[in-house]
Amino acid sequence: QVQLVESGGGLVQAGGSLRLSCAASGRTFNLYNMGWFRQAPGKEREFVATISRSGGTTDYADSVKGRFTISRDNAKNTVYLQMSSLKPEDTAVYYCAARLLGLVTKRQNEYRYWGQGTQVTVSS
């Protein structure tokens, strides 16, 4: 089992940057594929980015490709989401999630463990 705690959210102007962090408990972080998802007000939660256990494979939603970068530090049990060129439509609660073993995936139901979320608000 793993517990996830996100941080780094906040208010930023359009065009700005933020880095989200997700700290995981336990000694087996390197067994988990990690993902970032987001939920905007009135919308369903959607996939943002995912990274494999070793960090060698990543995938992104088309809406964030070229602007967001997912990375991980297995020594620190932490996954990051670097967000640049932020747009008002990026405003959402951002969640990190963990999937034990297997491959990277965009499907939310493949992730068993979820954090509590962190709010990102982008003003125009």
Side-chain angles (χ1 to χ4, degrees):
Q1 188 171 354
V2 62
Q3 294 182 328
L4 305 172
V5 179
E6 302 97 333
S7 62
L11 174 63
V12 63
Q13 289 188 334
S17 299
L18 277 177
R19 187 177 81 157
L20 305 184
S21 299
C22 173
S25 65
R27 301 180 181 179
T28 58
F29 180 67
N30 62 342
L31 297 182
Y32 291 87
N33 297 290
M34 300 298 295
W36 284 98
F37 295 81
R38 67 186 181 186
Q39 187 168 21
K43 295 187 177 181
E44 294 185 352
R45 190 165 57 189
E46 64 177 5
F47 166 76
V48 176
T50 184
I51 189 166
S52 63
R53 289 172 280 155
S54 67
T57 300
T58 58
D59 197 9
Y60 297 90
D62 288 342
S63 59
V64 307
K65 206 168 289 185
R67 300 188 298 122
F68 290 11
T69 302
I70 188 171
S71 62
R72 66 189 295 162
D73 185 338
N74 285 346
K76 295 183 178 180
N77 281 15
T78 302
V79 62
Y80 305 98
L81 186 67
Q82 178 67 48
M83 306 185 294
S84 303
S85 302
L86 282 162
K87 306 175 181 179
E89 51 263 44
D90 294 318
T91 295
V93 177
Y94 283 73
Y95 299 90
C96 72
R99 180 186 189 222
L100 180 64
L101 301 175
L103 301 175
V104 294
T105 178
K106 301 178 181 182
R107 295 189 293 270
Q108 297 185 45
N109 61 0
E110 299 283 354
Y111 291 84
R112 180 172 183 181
Y113 303 104
W114 293 80
Q116 83 288 350
T118 185
Q119 176 70 47
V120 172
T121 302
V122 184
S123 63
S124 57

